Amino acid sequence: MADRPRPQPQPHSSSASTRRRERWLVVLGVALHAVYMLSIFDIYFKSPIVHGMAPEPPRFSAPPAKRLVLLVADGLRADKFFEPDERGRYRAPFLRGVIESKGRWGVSHARPPTESRPGHVAIIAGFYEDPSAVTKGWKANPVEFDSVFNRSRHTISFGSPDIVPIFCSSLPHSTWGTYPHEYEDFATDASFLDHWSFDQFQGLLNRSFEDPKLRQLLLQDKLVIFLHLLGCDTNGHAHRPYSNIYLNNVKVVDQIAESMYNLMESYFNDNQTAYVFTADHGMSDKGSHGDGHPSNTDTPLVAWGAGIRSPKFLAYTDKPDDGFRFVDDHKHDMPTPQNWALEGFERVDVNQADIAPLMATLVGLPCPLNSVGSLPTHYLKLSKADEVEAVLANTKQILNQFLRKSQMKQSSSLYFKPFKPLANYSSVLDQIEDLMSARDYETAMKHSEELRRMALAGLHYFQTYDWFMLMTTITLGYIGWMVNLIIHVLQSYTSFPANLVKRTQVYAKNTSMKVYIIGCLVMGFSSIILLLEKCPLLYHAYVFMTIFLWTRIVHNFEFMKAVWRCLSNMPFKSVMNLLNISVIALFILEFLVMSFFDRKLYTWCFLILGILASTCVAIFIQASSALAVYIWFACWFLSLFTLMPAEIPENNNLVIFSGALVILIATASRWMATNNTSFWLYLTRANKWDPQFSKLFFVQVVFVAISSIMVWLSTSHRSQNKELHPLHQLINWLMAGVALVLPLFSPPSVLSRLTSIFLGFAPPFLLLSIGYEAVFYSAFAMVLMGWIFVESANLYCSEQNGSARHSSVVDGSIFGYDERCLQLSDLRIPLLFMILFNVAFFGTGNFASIASFEISSVYRFITVFSPFLMAALLIFKLFIPFMLVICTFSAITRIVRIPRLGCYFLVILLSDVMTIHFFFLVRNTGSWMEIGNSISHFGIVSAQVVFVLLLFALTNIYTKDIEFSSRQLNSRKVM
């Protein structure tokens, strides 16, 4: 007589109440991640610009120059400008002559993002890229800012339609002009654009001889003339900076500088013109710019004319590193390359924003109000008194920004923390004035420069003033959310003693109202404080969300204490096991974080995983040796793809080969489904009663074969006739659409259904593929199938051995339909899911940017430009690997009989550990790509709470009726 089965422990809560609680938990998770995603814009991307300061003009008896000429060669690299050509001749003979006989020179260091707008804003307005611009277009600054042009009496400017209007379109005292966008043709030599700018200005001077008003305008002081020379940038993009066209453009720029100098001197003939020649950014060898590479950040700076010192000759000596770093992190006093042959002339490097106060000082203007540039005095030819006056005006202008920010923050703060190093700034200013009166200019200069340095530090202090509060609130919010998830999983999906649950339920009934009332009071008090401090509404949302989450934790405090007592009473071995698994989980999650920056890490991951998994299968699970070899081969095969370039090269032969590979893998899976050995019968038990699979399998294989043929036919016809044949287009749409429906009619056994899903997604994926990503589909499916085999083999061998550990498959039922409670060892399933889910992200590209995927992928379905349809097809292609992972994940939860929603909450818990890490990795400096990638990484992991749930809902159509019978379940039914 069979033993009577032990009574099953009662679930902690009814199925209906648990489902209701889970719906609210999902809604809370979606709201929390949506609100907290916005927090990065309040923390990292807040505009540094403030208004309401008074200008500080330098107290000169007379400015050094009456007018200023600014020449900006867009995209000109410092090394290509200074170095000789292959014949030993210098590409810029005029400006080199200026360096040697008339003026000063150096390297201007640009701060990433090294793009045209931020570069020109730094040169002309004196501040670096406004971080809030990350959410705006690059051609127009999103906020109003002051500039040298604003302060001038009149500004004349000619150049690119993308640059000149930024500074002149709303400037009433300006005369400006731009060429049409059509002139920026990458197929031609763009140096004519530079000639256009010069010709426009020359024509303006010629017209002034017949226009008295124009001549009067030109003869007034504080005149600024700006020529934007785009040729180097356009030629660098189109032909690379080492091409003859780009290098010849350097000569063109030099000729324009010479022509401009001769034109100005002959027209005005008063030696009252100052000239500044520089570039906004450099150009990489690939013909791009944006990042912090020296080829992008190092730009030439040459200044001469009125108010500029003559060259200083010196013997070259190797100077030690003084610790100073420019904004691009380059060392101060770096040695000049020998091939520049300029070691004998003093080199004065500057930060790019330092050029704005230099230009303002030359024509006696106040520095732009938002400038953070430091006046480079080594360029100026001034008396000691005027030099100190100029530096003091620069210092006061930066100090005024600091004082304005301090005043704004103090007016809205209940507890204001001042910047202590500048508490006595007024006495320092008085001391500087006294030193100047006593003609102690050297000491006055030191004090002014030190005060300026402290004012810049104070600006940074107030820019990051709220960071600690906001980051603490958001971090506590994420931690509170994760603790709530852990509590829910422990209460709903684990086998804690029934009396523990009863005690906590009694506690909840007696005190929940008190806890929530206290939580509401804390929220109300926080709201009053935030209102008094005039904080934005989103600050209220951050704080409310965090308080609510921690109120729920306090509500479950007795349960947490009981859990802690259980953990305390556990054997030492069990505690160590818990710690070890936690450390391994954290290591895997940190590995996944690093993989966002280097996808090649997955190659090492699957090489190691192949060895470990096959060893475990062979030794510990003691399954078939063929299974161990299969696992090893599948992992190593998949490891190849993350070594391949993210930009997929077109190769239709690979796509066609992949069609054959899909059929081969499906045939092998079909053979396993009809194998009579005990293990495969165990895995495919449901096949015995459904003979229809053979017909469906044949139809799906034919669909894959036809899709492979259509790949070749569609591409060949399109390449010959430059269009997609309507019949081919119709067949492709039908193949893709019908193939997705067929898996619904497959047998419900695990192996049969997953094989059918694999075949069903293959035709649309093949038709949307252009290269090696089609082979990735097969390799990825092999690994997913291997995961199924390992979990099944583990369960099969455990049941064969009568393992007590796995007897809970039926004994630990939660909701009454043969699902057992979660155990610590089950954490491997969400962890493996996370790894495979991320491989689907980065296996064949960078999911963080859809632009990294080829638009030609959709050409077998549509060729007429339709952005929404094309984007939909592209996104659908990207979703297919994710759907395979989710289907496999769902099947495995059925195999090992664990609740899928419980595993979903564990996946969200693990992904939020990564979310906190990415929250602190968001960047507001660097190239646009670096800033954008840091935001998209944070956004991707934050959105997984919705993304994974959405995919669960979609794939549930295919997986909801999957069946799996275990030996123990059958024996239970017999009893």
Side-chain angles (χ1 to χ4, degrees):
M1 182 176 170
D3 293 333
R4 181 176 297 176
R6 290 176 296 175
Q8 299 174 24
Q10 295 299 312
H12 300 163
S13 56
S14 67
S15 177
S17 64
T18 300
R19 293 286 179 257
R20 186 167 58 252
R21 190 163 71 245
E22 283 174 342
R23 280 196 293 270
W24 279 109
L25 199 60
V26 169
V27 171
L28 175 63
V30 172
L32 175 137
H33 287 81
V35 170
Y36 283 2
M37 270 175 64
L38 297 174
S39 68
I40 61 171
F41 297 101
D42 282 323
I43 297 171
Y44 295 102
F45 302 105
K46 208 162 189 177
S47 173
I49 295 174
V50 289
H51 301 285
M53 298 83 65
E56 291 286 346
R59 295 175 297 189
F60 291 154
S61 51
K66 285 185 67 176
R67 67 197 70 86
L68 170 79
V69 174
L70 171 63
L71 305 173
V72 178
D74 202 311
L76 177 58
R77 276 169 58 156
D79 58 346
K80 300 301 179 188
F81 175 79
F82 290 118
E83 70 187 17
D85 60 22
E86 63 278 358
R87 291 180 292 178
R89 299 176 181 175
Y90 293 100
R91 300 186 183 99
F94 169 74
L95 289 169
R96 191 172 185 85
V98 166
I99 292 170
E100 294 174 352
S101 60
K102 294 180 182 175
R104 307 307 295 268
W105 76 285
V107 171
S108 169
H109 296 270
R111 193 182 84 170
T114 46
E115 302 285 352
S116 291
R117 186 193 76 185
H120 281 86
V121 169
I123 293 167
I124 299 167
F127 71 93
Y128 296 105
E129 180 56 37
D130 176 6
S132 66
V134 75
T135 58
K136 307 289 174 75
W138 73 271
K139 293 180 181 179
N141 213 56
V143 289
E144 293 180 3
F145 57 86
D146 194 22
S147 71
V148 174
F149 296 176
N150 289 23
R151 296 290 149 196
S152 68
R153 201 177 302 278
H154 198 85
T155 293
I156 299 170
S157 177
F158 296 101
S160 166
D162 294 330
I163 297 300
V164 173
I166 295 174
F167 302 95
C168 300
S169 61
S170 58
L171 195 64
H173 56 276
S174 66
T175 303
W176 57 281
T178 63
Y179 41 76
H181 277 288
E182 294 76 32
Y183 280 24
E184 298 175 19
D185 187 353
F186 287 89
T188 62
D189 181 354
S191 59
F192 77 94
L193 298 175
D194 302 343
H195 288 293
W196 184 94
S197 298
F198 173 74
D199 292 343
Q200 295 299 308
F201 178 68
Q202 188 177 34
L204 183 79
L205 290 190
N206 291 336
R207 289 198 304 275
S208 70
F209 293 114
E210 301 172 0
D211 187 340
K213 283 188 178 180
L214 179 57
R215 183 164 178 79
Q216 185 181 359
L217 182 149
L218 290 168
L219 292 175
Q220 61 188 345
D221 64 351
K222 296 180 173 55
L223 177 69
V224 176
I225 299 157
F226 167 50
L227 296 190
H228 176 245
L229 312 175
L230 186 65
C232 286
D233 184 72
T234 304
N235 284 328
H237 287 309
H239 308 288
R240 309 294 182 267
Y242 45 78
S243 65
N244 289 330
I245 290 179
Y246 179 90
L247 297 175
N248 182 66
N249 209 140
V250 179
K251 298 177 183 177
V252 171
V253 164
D254 181 71
Q255 291 164 7
I256 289 173
E258 183 177 16
S259 301
M260 193 70 183
Y261 173 72
N262 293 333
L263 182 66
M264 293 293 292
E265 293 304 311
S266 63
Y267 185 91
F268 294 102
N269 196 27
D270 58 0
N271 295 321
Q272 286 294 297
T273 306
Y275 303 85
V276 175
F277 173 89
T278 188
D280 55 347
H281 57 75
M283 184 72 61
S284 74
D285 289 341
K286 295 180 179 179
S288 62
H289 52 81
D291 62 22
H293 190 274
S295 62
N296 290 324
T297 60
D298 289 0
T299 60
L301 174 62
V302 182
W304 73 100
I308 301 294
R309 292 187 187 184
S310 299
K312 181 179 180 181
F313 305 98
L314 71 164
Y316 174 73
T317 55
D318 189 13
K319 298 177 183 178
D321 182 11
D322 60 4
F324 179 82
R325 295 291 183 276
F326 291 103
V327 289
D328 56 355
D329 288 331
H330 289 185
K331 294 179 182 177
H332 190 227
D333 289 327
M334 287 182 69
T336 301
Q338 289 189 356
N339 64 341
W340 294 6
L342 289 171
E343 295 96 331
F345 302 92
E346 185 182 37
R347 167 180 166 180
V348 183
D349 285 12
V350 300
N351 286 319
Q352 196 170 56
D354 299 344
I355 298 173
L358 172 65
M359 294 192 299
T361 302
L362 284 169
V363 283
L365 299 171
C367 293
L369 295 178
N370 303 114
S371 170
V372 293
S374 299
L375 180 65
T377 55
H378 289 286
Y379 279 85
L380 293 167
K381 183 170 65 177
L382 297 171
S383 65
K384 281 290 182 184
D386 283 349
E387 193 173 310
V388 175
E389 286 287 3
V391 172
L392 183 59
N394 179 215
T395 299
K396 286 180 177 179
Q397 169 264 321
I398 295 172
L399 186 64
N400 285 347
Q401 290 182 76
F402 162 80
L403 294 173
R404 178 61 179 154
K405 286 196 173 189
S406 177
Q407 178 193 355
M408 290 169 66
K409 183 54 64 178
Q410 187 172 9
S411 66
S412 62
S413 295
L414 295 178
Y415 173 65
F416 175 68
K417 294 176 290 183
F419 184 63
K420 292 179 181 178
L422 282 177
N424 61 339
Y425 75 91
S426 56
S427 62
V428 176
L429 285 173
D430 293 339
Q431 187 180 2
I432 293 169
E433 294 289 351
D434 292 341
L435 289 167
M436 291 173 66
S437 300
R439 299 181 181 272
D440 188 354
Y441 299 121
E442 189 172 340
T443 309
M445 179 70 79
K446 286 181 181 177
H447 282 48
S448 295
E449 289 175 343
E450 177 62 18
L451 184 59
R452 181 176 62 191
R453 187 182 67 79
M454 296 310 301
L456 287 169
L459 285 177
H460 178 74
Y461 172 80
F462 283 113
Q463 183 66 22
T464 59
Y465 187 87
D466 291 331
W467 276 26
F468 180 76
M469 184 274 287
L470 287 173
M471 285 183 158
T472 303
T473 302
I474 301 301
T475 305
L476 285 174
Y478 276 121
I479 293 170
W481 161 250
M482 290 190 289
V483 172
N484 273 279
L485 282 180
I486 292 170
I487 291 170
H488 175 72
V489 170
L490 289 175
Q491 287 179 339
S492 303
Y493 297 109
T494 58
S495 54
F496 274 93
N499 60 346
L500 169 65
V501 181
K502 287 177 182 176
R503 285 202 308 270
T504 57
Q505 284 175 344
V506 170
Y507 170 82
K509 289 176 182 176
N510 293 338
T511 62
S512 60
M513 187 60 69
K514 294 179 184 177
V515 170
Y516 283 113
I517 289 172
I518 292 171
C520 290
L521 290 174
V522 173
M523 281 187 190
F525 180 69
S526 303
S527 180
I528 292 169
I529 292 174
L530 292 172
L531 284 170
L532 290 174
E533 294 205 342
K534 301 174 185 176
C535 293
L537 284 176
L538 273 176
Y539 283 30
H540 295 255
Y542 307 146
V543 174
F544 283 8
M545 196 78 75
T546 301
I547 293 172
F548 175 72
L549 289 166
W550 282 94
T551 302
R552 285 175 57 90
I553 293 169
V554 174
H555 172 254
N556 288 287
F557 184 67
E558 279 298 314
F559 175 78
M560 293 171 67
K561 280 173 63 178
V563 170
W564 177 253
R565 282 195 299 270
C566 284
L567 290 174
S568 303
N569 295 327
M570 284 170 62
F572 178 75
K573 185 179 178 182
S574 299
V575 174
M576 289 306 299
N577 188 36
L578 174 63
L579 289 175
N580 289 336
I581 290 176
S582 301
V583 169
I584 292 169
L586 282 173
F587 174 80
I588 291 171
L589 293 173
E590 287 304 302
F591 167 83
L592 292 176
V593 169
M594 290 188 291
S595 72
F596 274 70
F597 303 96
D598 185 7
R599 56 195 284 268
K600 291 179 182 177
L601 287 173
Y602 286 113
T603 297
W604 291 105
C605 172
F606 280 96
L607 288 174
I608 295 167
L609 195 60
I611 296 170
L612 292 177
S614 57
T615 304
C616 288
V617 167
I619 297 174
F620 299 106
I621 300 178
Q622 296 176 349
S624 165
S625 59
L627 178 58
V629 173
Y630 170 81
I631 299 297
W632 169 80
F633 173 76
C635 289
W636 280 38
F637 185 28
L638 186 62
S639 71
L640 297 174
F641 291 91
T642 45
L643 291 174
M644 296 181 184
E647 295 80 19
I648 301 171
E650 209 161 326
N651 190 333
N652 286 314
N653 293 330
L654 269 181
V655 181
I656 296 166
F657 163 76
S658 182
L661 186 60
V662 167
I663 294 171
L664 181 65
I665 293 169
T667 305
S669 178
R670 168 69 176 155
W671 173 80
M672 293 172 193
T674 57
N675 195 314
N676 290 323
T677 59
S678 58
F679 170 65
W680 301 116
L681 279 176
Y682 170 83
L683 184 61
T684 62
R685 192 177 302 274
N687 280 345
K688 294 187 296 185
W689 49 267
D690 195 340
Q692 298 298 319
F693 182 45
S694 297
K695 295 177 183 177
L696 179 66
F697 177 80
F698 177 75
V699 171
Q700 288 190 292
V701 165
V702 170
F703 269 55
V704 174
I706 294 173
S707 299
S708 299
I709 295 168
M710 292 309 299
V711 166
W712 176 73
L713 280 176
S714 302
T715 307
S716 301
H717 186 272
R718 186 170 54 81
S719 60
Q720 290 172 9
N721 300 283
K722 306 298 181 186
E723 60 180 10
L724 182 63
H725 195 287
L727 179 61
H728 295 169
Q729 187 177 18
L730 178 63
I731 294 171
N732 292 343
W733 278 103
L734 283 173
M735 285 287 122
V738 175
L740 293 172
V741 179
L742 292 178
L744 298 174
F745 303 99
S746 62
S749 71
V750 172
L751 197 56
S752 300
R753 177 57 58 88
L754 289 179
T755 302
S756 185
I757 291 170
F758 169 62
L759 285 170
F761 284 125
F765 196 84
L766 290 174
L767 289 167
L768 286 166
S769 297
I770 61 169
Y772 74 81
E773 82 272 33
V775 186
F776 168 80
Y777 178 80
S778 299
F780 193 52
M782 287 174 67
V783 169
L784 293 174
M785 205 66 78
W787 188 18
I788 293 275
F789 293 160
V790 171
E791 291 292 347
S792 302
N794 182 37
L795 194 63
Y796 171 73
C797 294
S798 299
E799 291 182 4
Q800 285 283 80
N801 298 330
S803 171
R805 180 171 58 89
H806 285 276
S807 64
S808 62
V809 168
V810 293
D811 291 346
S813 176
I814 297 178
F815 298 116
Y817 49 86
D818 305 321
E819 279 186 346
R820 65 172 174 82
C821 295
L822 285 171
Q823 300 170 351
L824 187 59
S825 59
D826 293 324
L827 193 62
R828 72 184 184 281
I829 294 172
L831 282 171
L832 274 170
F833 171 83
M834 294 285 290
I835 293 172
L836 292 165
F837 200 76
N838 279 277
V839 170
F841 269 110
F842 298 108
T844 58
N846 176 12
F847 192 86
S849 171
I850 291 179
S852 72
F853 294 90
E854 284 288 339
I855 194 66
S856 57
S857 299
V858 304
Y859 286 169
R860 297 186 191 104
F861 290 92
I862 182 172
T863 52
V864 179
F865 182 69
S866 176
F868 293 108
L869 182 56
M870 286 179 163
L873 286 168
L874 201 55
I875 291 170
F876 173 67
K877 175 193 174 184
L878 305 182
F879 271 30
I880 288 175
F882 299 129
M883 295 178 80
L884 283 183
V885 180
I886 299 281
C887 286
T888 306
F889 180 72
S890 298
I892 285 173
T893 58
R894 293 293 179 92
I895 290 170
V896 297
R897 303 198 178 279
I898 56 176
R900 189 173 68 158
L901 261 178
C903 283
Y904 164 73
F905 287 122
L906 288 177
V907 167
I908 299 307
L909 174 67
L910 295 172
S911 69
D912 279 333
V913 175
M914 296 170 60
T915 302
I916 292 176
H917 194 148
F918 280 119
F919 173 68
F920 288 98
L921 290 179
V922 173
R923 298 184 56 172
N924 58 4
T925 59
S927 68
W928 284 129
M929 186 174 70
E930 290 165 341
I931 294 171
N933 278 348
S934 71
I935 295 172
S936 64
H937 293 163
F938 175 67
I940 283 170
V941 290
S942 294
Q944 283 194 7
V945 66
V946 178
F947 188 54
V948 175
L949 193 65
L950 176 66
L951 289 174
F952 268 138
L954 289 173
T955 56
N956 194 52
I957 300 168
Y958 296 104
T959 60
K960 62 184 177 183
D961 59 343
I962 284 182
E963 294 179 3
F964 185 84
S965 299
S966 74
R967 188 180 303 270
Q968 287 188 8
L969 185 58
N970 289 342
S971 64
R972 175 186 163 202
K973 289 176 179 176
V974 169
M975 290 187 286

